[in-house]
Amino acid sequence: MNRKPLIAGNWKMYKTKDEALAFIYAVNLEVPDKDVVESVICAPAIFLRDLVKREGENLRIGAQNVHYAQEGAFTGELSANMLKSYGVDYVVIGHSERRAYFNETDETVNLKLIAAVNRELTPIVCVGESLEIRELGTTDAVVGKQIEKAYLNVDAEEALKTVVAYEPIWAIGTGRTATPDQANDTIKAIRLVLAKLYGKEVAEQIRILYGGSVNAKNVDDLLAMSDIDGALVGGASLDPNSFLTLVKAAYKKQTK
Ligand code: 13P
Protein backbone atom coordinates (compact mmCIF):
# COMPACT_ATOMS: atom_id res chain seq x y z
CA MET A 1 0.00 0.00 0.00
CA ASN A 2 1.51 3.30 -1.08
CA ARG A 3 -0.01 5.92 1.18
CA LYS A 4 0.86 9.52 0.32
CA PRO A 5 3.17 10.91 3.02
CA LEU A 6 2.05 13.88 5.07
CA ILE A 7 4.42 16.17 6.93
CA ALA A 8 2.56 18.48 9.28
CA GLY A 9 4.22 21.19 11.34
CA ASN A 10 2.57 22.01 14.64
CA TRP A 11 3.74 25.46 15.65
CA LYS A 12 2.02 25.25 19.04
CA MET A 13 2.09 28.71 20.72
CA TYR A 14 5.12 30.08 18.93
CA LYS A 15 5.83 32.98 16.54
CA THR A 16 4.67 36.56 16.09
CA LYS A 17 2.85 37.85 13.02
CA ASP A 18 6.09 38.96 11.34
CA GLU A 19 7.73 35.62 12.04
CA ALA A 20 4.72 33.73 10.67
CA LEU A 21 4.78 35.80 7.49
CA ALA A 22 8.54 35.42 7.07
CA PHE A 23 8.07 31.65 7.34
CA ILE A 24 5.31 31.42 4.76
CA TYR A 25 7.19 33.54 2.24
CA ALA A 26 10.24 31.34 2.72
CA VAL A 27 8.43 28.05 2.12
CA ASN A 28 5.31 28.63 0.00
CA LEU A 29 7.08 28.25 -3.34
CA GLU A 30 9.52 25.63 -2.11
CA VAL A 31 7.37 22.80 -0.78
CA PRO A 32 7.15 19.77 -3.08
CA ASP A 33 4.24 18.78 -5.30
CA LYS A 34 1.20 18.13 -3.12
CA ASP A 35 0.26 15.15 -5.27
CA VAL A 36 3.42 13.45 -4.00
CA VAL A 37 3.69 14.74 -0.42
CA GLU A 38 1.18 16.73 1.61
CA SER A 39 2.89 19.60 3.43
CA VAL A 40 0.86 21.26 6.16
CA ILE A 41 1.45 23.95 8.77
CA CYS A 42 -0.87 23.90 11.79
CA ALA A 43 -0.64 27.39 13.19
CA PRO A 44 -2.12 29.44 16.02
CA ALA A 45 -5.61 30.54 14.99
CA ILE A 46 -4.70 34.20 14.76
CA PHE A 47 -2.30 33.50 11.87
CA LEU A 48 -4.57 31.23 9.85
CA ARG A 49 -6.03 33.86 7.53
CA ASP A 50 -2.65 35.36 6.65
CA LEU A 51 -1.16 31.93 6.04
CA VAL A 52 -4.03 30.59 3.92
CA LYS A 53 -3.80 33.67 1.71
CA ARG A 54 -0.15 32.90 0.99
CA GLU A 55 -0.15 29.10 1.07
CA GLY A 56 0.60 28.80 -2.66
CA GLU A 57 0.05 25.74 -4.82
CA ASN A 58 1.39 23.02 -2.57
CA LEU A 59 1.30 24.03 1.09
CA ARG A 60 -1.85 23.63 3.16
CA ILE A 61 -2.82 25.21 6.46
CA GLY A 62 -4.31 23.62 9.55
CA ALA A 63 -5.63 24.76 12.92
CA GLN A 64 -4.55 23.31 16.26
CA ASN A 65 -8.00 22.88 17.77
CA VAL A 66 -11.69 23.16 16.92
CA HIS A 67 -14.90 23.15 18.94
CA TYR A 68 -17.29 20.27 18.33
CA ALA A 69 -20.49 22.34 18.22
CA GLN A 70 -21.66 23.86 14.96
CA GLU A 71 -22.08 27.23 16.68
CA GLY A 72 -23.16 28.51 20.05
CA ALA A 73 -22.34 30.41 23.22
CA PHE A 74 -18.75 29.11 23.59
CA THR A 75 -16.64 32.18 24.27
CA GLY A 76 -13.14 31.94 22.88
CA GLU A 77 -13.78 28.92 20.68
CA LEU A 78 -13.76 28.34 16.90
CA SER A 79 -16.09 26.07 14.93
CA ALA A 80 -15.22 23.82 12.01
CA ASN A 81 -17.46 26.03 9.90
CA MET A 82 -15.42 29.13 10.76
CA LEU A 83 -12.14 27.41 9.95
CA LYS A 84 -13.48 26.06 6.68
CA SER A 85 -14.83 29.47 5.68
CA TYR A 86 -11.27 30.83 5.91
CA GLY A 87 -9.83 28.11 3.70
CA VAL A 88 -8.27 26.03 6.46
CA ASP A 89 -7.92 22.37 5.41
CA TYR A 90 -6.64 20.45 8.46
CA VAL A 91 -7.08 20.50 12.20
CA VAL A 92 -5.08 18.84 14.97
CA ILE A 93 -7.39 17.11 17.43
CA GLY A 94 -6.58 15.65 20.82
CA HIS A 95 -2.96 16.74 21.07
CA SER A 96 -1.50 15.49 24.36
CA GLU A 97 -0.90 19.09 25.46
CA ARG A 98 -4.61 19.82 25.07
CA ARG A 99 -5.45 16.58 26.87
CA ALA A 100 -3.08 17.51 29.72
CA TYR A 101 -3.81 21.24 30.11
CA PHE A 102 -7.21 21.97 28.53
CA ASN A 103 -9.52 19.16 29.60
CA GLU A 104 -9.51 17.42 26.22
CA THR A 105 -10.92 13.93 26.71
CA ASP A 106 -11.49 10.90 24.49
CA GLU A 107 -15.13 11.99 24.33
CA THR A 108 -14.40 15.53 23.11
CA VAL A 109 -11.81 14.16 20.67
CA ASN A 110 -14.54 11.94 19.21
CA LEU A 111 -17.01 14.82 18.87
CA LYS A 112 -14.37 17.10 17.34
CA LEU A 113 -13.32 14.42 14.86
CA ILE A 114 -16.93 14.10 13.70
CA ALA A 115 -17.39 17.90 13.51
CA ALA A 116 -14.23 18.26 11.41
CA VAL A 117 -15.10 15.48 8.97
CA ASN A 118 -18.64 16.83 8.57
CA ARG A 119 -17.18 20.16 7.50
CA GLU A 120 -14.54 18.60 5.23
CA LEU A 121 -11.63 19.55 7.44
CA THR A 122 -9.09 16.75 7.69
CA PRO A 123 -8.61 15.90 11.37
CA ILE A 124 -5.14 14.86 12.52
CA VAL A 125 -6.20 12.76 15.49
CA CYS A 126 -3.49 12.50 18.14
CA VAL A 127 -2.97 9.55 20.45
CA GLY A 128 -0.03 8.53 22.59
CA GLU A 129 1.08 7.08 25.90
CA SER A 130 2.93 8.47 28.90
CA LEU A 131 6.36 7.23 29.92
CA GLU A 132 4.74 5.33 32.80
CA ILE A 133 2.51 3.40 30.38
CA ARG A 134 5.44 2.71 28.03
CA GLU A 135 7.44 1.30 30.94
CA LEU A 136 4.49 -0.76 32.17
CA GLY A 137 4.30 -2.36 28.73
CA THR A 138 0.65 -1.50 28.11
CA THR A 139 1.15 1.02 25.31
CA ASP A 140 -0.76 -0.90 22.64
CA ALA A 141 -3.80 -1.36 24.87
CA VAL A 142 -3.86 2.27 26.02
CA VAL A 143 -3.35 3.75 22.57
CA GLY A 144 -5.80 1.24 21.09
CA LYS A 145 -8.48 2.41 23.52
CA GLN A 146 -7.81 6.04 22.57
CA ILE A 147 -8.39 5.10 18.92
CA GLU A 148 -11.57 3.14 19.64
CA LYS A 149 -13.00 6.06 21.59
CA ALA A 150 -11.94 8.66 19.03
CA TYR A 151 -13.68 6.71 16.23
CA LEU A 152 -16.92 5.95 18.08
CA ASN A 153 -19.92 6.43 15.73
CA VAL A 154 -17.55 7.12 12.82
CA ASP A 155 -18.17 4.96 9.74
CA ALA A 156 -15.56 3.68 7.31
CA GLU A 157 -16.18 6.38 4.73
CA GLU A 158 -15.62 9.04 7.37
CA ALA A 159 -12.62 7.26 8.87
CA LEU A 160 -10.93 7.37 5.46
CA LYS A 161 -11.05 11.17 5.66
CA THR A 162 -8.98 11.23 8.84
CA VAL A 163 -5.30 11.06 9.67
CA VAL A 164 -3.93 9.60 12.91
CA ALA A 165 -0.82 10.92 14.66
CA TYR A 166 0.93 8.65 17.13
CA GLU A 167 2.82 10.87 19.54
CA PRO A 168 4.34 9.21 22.61
CA ILE A 169 4.18 11.90 25.29
CA TRP A 170 7.68 11.07 26.51
CA ALA A 171 9.08 11.90 23.07
CA ILE A 172 7.45 15.32 22.67
CA GLY A 173 9.84 18.23 22.99
CA THR A 174 12.30 16.07 24.89
CA GLY A 175 14.76 15.26 22.15
CA ARG A 176 14.07 11.63 23.00
CA THR A 177 12.61 10.18 19.79
CA ALA A 178 10.95 6.78 19.77
CA THR A 179 13.18 4.44 17.80
CA PRO A 180 11.88 3.74 14.30
CA ASP A 181 10.99 0.21 15.45
CA GLN A 182 9.15 1.40 18.56
CA ALA A 183 7.17 3.93 16.53
CA ASN A 184 6.43 1.45 13.77
CA ASP A 185 5.33 -1.29 16.18
CA THR A 186 2.83 0.99 17.93
CA ILE A 187 1.60 2.35 14.62
CA LYS A 188 1.06 -1.22 13.42
CA ALA A 189 -0.96 -1.88 16.58
CA ILE A 190 -3.05 1.22 15.82
CA ARG A 191 -3.64 -0.05 12.29
CA LEU A 192 -4.82 -3.38 13.71
CA VAL A 193 -7.39 -1.55 15.84
CA LEU A 194 -8.55 0.38 12.77
CA ALA A 195 -8.75 -2.95 10.89
CA LYS A 196 -10.91 -4.36 13.66
CA LEU A 197 -13.22 -1.35 13.36
CA TYR A 198 -13.30 -0.95 9.58
CA GLY A 199 -11.67 -3.96 7.96
CA LYS A 200 -8.15 -4.39 6.70
CA GLU A 201 -8.66 -2.68 3.36
CA VAL A 202 -9.82 0.57 4.97
CA ALA A 203 -7.16 0.42 7.70
CA GLU A 204 -4.45 0.05 5.07
CA GLN A 205 -5.51 3.35 3.51
CA ILE A 206 -5.60 5.50 6.65
CA ARG A 207 -2.44 7.48 7.16
CA ILE A 208 -0.74 7.26 10.52
CA LEU A 209 1.98 9.79 11.33
CA TYR A 210 4.65 9.65 14.00
CA GLY A 211 5.32 12.69 16.20
CA GLY A 212 7.87 13.37 18.93
CA SER A 213 11.26 15.01 18.40
CA VAL A 214 11.26 14.42 14.65
CA ASN A 215 14.11 16.31 13.00
CA ALA A 216 16.34 16.36 9.93
CA LYS A 217 18.59 13.69 11.44
CA ASN A 218 15.98 11.04 12.22
CA VAL A 219 13.31 11.68 9.60
CA ASP A 220 14.72 9.35 6.93
CA ASP A 221 14.86 6.37 9.28
CA LEU A 222 11.34 7.00 10.53
CA LEU A 223 9.88 7.42 7.04
CA ALA A 224 11.62 4.24 5.89
CA MET A 225 9.41 2.15 8.21
CA SER A 226 6.54 0.14 6.73
CA ASP A 227 3.68 1.79 8.59
CA ILE A 228 4.87 5.35 9.26
CA ASP A 229 3.19 7.63 6.75
CA GLY A 230 4.69 10.94 7.74
CA ALA A 231 5.33 13.14 10.73
CA LEU A 232 3.69 15.64 13.04
CA VAL A 233 6.51 17.97 13.92
CA GLY A 234 6.79 20.57 16.66
CA GLY A 235 10.17 22.24 17.22
CA ALA A 236 11.68 21.31 13.86
CA SER A 237 8.77 22.88 11.97
CA LEU A 238 9.43 26.40 13.25
CA ASP A 239 12.40 27.14 11.03
CA PRO A 240 11.64 27.30 7.28
CA ASN A 241 14.76 25.42 6.21
CA SER A 242 14.25 22.74 8.80
CA PHE A 243 10.62 22.24 7.73
CA LEU A 244 11.64 22.12 4.07
CA THR A 245 14.29 19.51 4.84
CA LEU A 246 11.58 17.28 6.33
CA VAL A 247 9.10 17.63 3.46
CA LYS A 248 11.89 17.13 0.95
CA ALA A 249 12.97 13.95 2.73
CA ALA A 250 9.42 12.62 2.30
CA TYR A 251 9.44 13.65 -1.36
CA LYS A 252 12.76 11.93 -1.96
CA LYS A 253 11.55 8.73 -0.34
CA GLN A 254 8.40 8.79 -2.43
CA THR A 255 10.11 9.41 -5.76
CA LYS A 256 13.25 7.28 -5.44
P1 13P B 1 8.36 18.08 18.99
O1 13P B 1 8.60 17.74 17.53
O2 13P B 1 8.82 19.46 19.34
O3 13P B 1 8.84 17.00 19.89
O4 13P B 1 6.77 18.14 19.17
C1 13P B 1 6.01 17.08 18.72
C2 13P B 1 4.58 17.47 18.75
O5 13P B 1 3.99 17.56 19.81
C3 13P B 1 3.91 17.77 17.49
O6 13P B 1 2.54 17.87 17.65
Side-chain angles (χ1 to χ4, degrees):
M1 174 59 65
N2 195 2
R3 294 173 291 264
K4 187 178 7 162
L6 195 167
I7 305 290
N10 173 12
W11 281 358
K12 308 191 179 182
M13 198 176 75
Y14 289 100
K15 292 194 186 293
T16 61
K17 179 186 178 191
D18 288 349
E19 289 164 353
L21 289 175
F23 181 99
I24 195 91
Y25 285 127
V27 307
N28 61 3
L29 301 178
E30 301 294 326
V31 289
D33 185 347
K34 67 175 183 320
D35 293 334
V36 181
V37 175
E38 277 171 57
S39 307
V40 179
I41 288 293
C42 299
I46 196 165
F47 302 141
L48 292 172
R49 179 168 178 270
D50 281 342
L51 297 180
V52 168
K53 271 169 73 177
R54 297 165 179 85
E55 68 185 8
E57 200 53 43
N58 292 312
L59 184 69
R60 289 295 173 265
I61 303 302
Q64 297 175 5
N65 185 29
V66 64
H67 196 276
Y68 51 77
Q70 241 181 344
E71 60 181 10
F74 298 106
T75 301
E77 291 290 312
L78 297 175
S79 70
N81 220 11
M82 292 172 189
L83 294 171
K84 195 67 193 177
S85 70
Y86 271 93
V88 172
D89 288 311
Y90 293 78
V91 60
V92 177
I93 291 177
H95 193 281
S96 59
E97 289 151 15
R98 295 212 62 86
R99 292 180 190 254
Y101 311 133
F102 302 102
N103 296 325
E104 191 81 272
T105 63
D106 289 329
E107 289 69 36
T108 57
V109 169
N110 171 244
L111 295 173
K112 289 177 179 196
L113 185 164
I114 293 170
V117 169
N118 282 344
R119 218 39 214 100
E120 284 159 23
L121 280 173
T122 302
I124 300 174
V125 183
C126 301
V127 295
E129 82 287 5
S130 63
L131 185 58
E132 192 188 352
I133 295 294
R134 169 65 57 177
E135 285 173 349
L136 268 173
T138 53
T139 295
D140 290 0
V142 167
V143 171
K145 264 276 168 284
Q146 290 175 330
I147 291 287
E148 281 175 9
K149 289 182 173 176
Y151 284 82
L152 191 72
N153 301 321
V154 174
D155 66 23
E157 198 186 323
E158 293 163 333
L160 283 168
K161 296 176 180 162
T162 70
V163 173
V164 175
Y166 167 56
E167 298 206 310
I169 295 166
W170 47 270
I172 295 177
T174 58
R176 182 176 168 188
T177 326
T179 65
D181 281 322
Q182 276 176 324
N184 201 49
D185 286 351
T186 307
I187 287 176
K188 275 187 182 167
I190 290 171
R191 210 178 290 289
L192 275 179
V193 175
L194 292 171
K196 204 174 74 187
L197 296 174
Y198 302 114
K200 191 161 184 274
E201 200 186 318
V202 169
E204 288 291 322
Q205 292 175 63
I206 297 176
R207 284 169 305 170
I208 309 179
L209 317 180
Y210 167 75
S213 298
V214 175
N215 58 41
K217 287 203 182 82
N218 57 31
V219 70
D220 290 325
D221 290 343
L222 289 162
L223 293 179
M225 302 307 290
S226 64
D227 281 67
I228 302 181
D229 303 320
L232 183 58
V233 188
S237 74
L238 292 170
D239 173 74
N241 288 325
S242 166
F243 179 70
L244 286 173
T245 302
L246 302 177
V247 295
K248 287 178 179 171
Y251 183 83
K252 198 170 118 204
K253 185 216 153 194
Q254 206 62 0
T255 52
K256 79 168 183 237

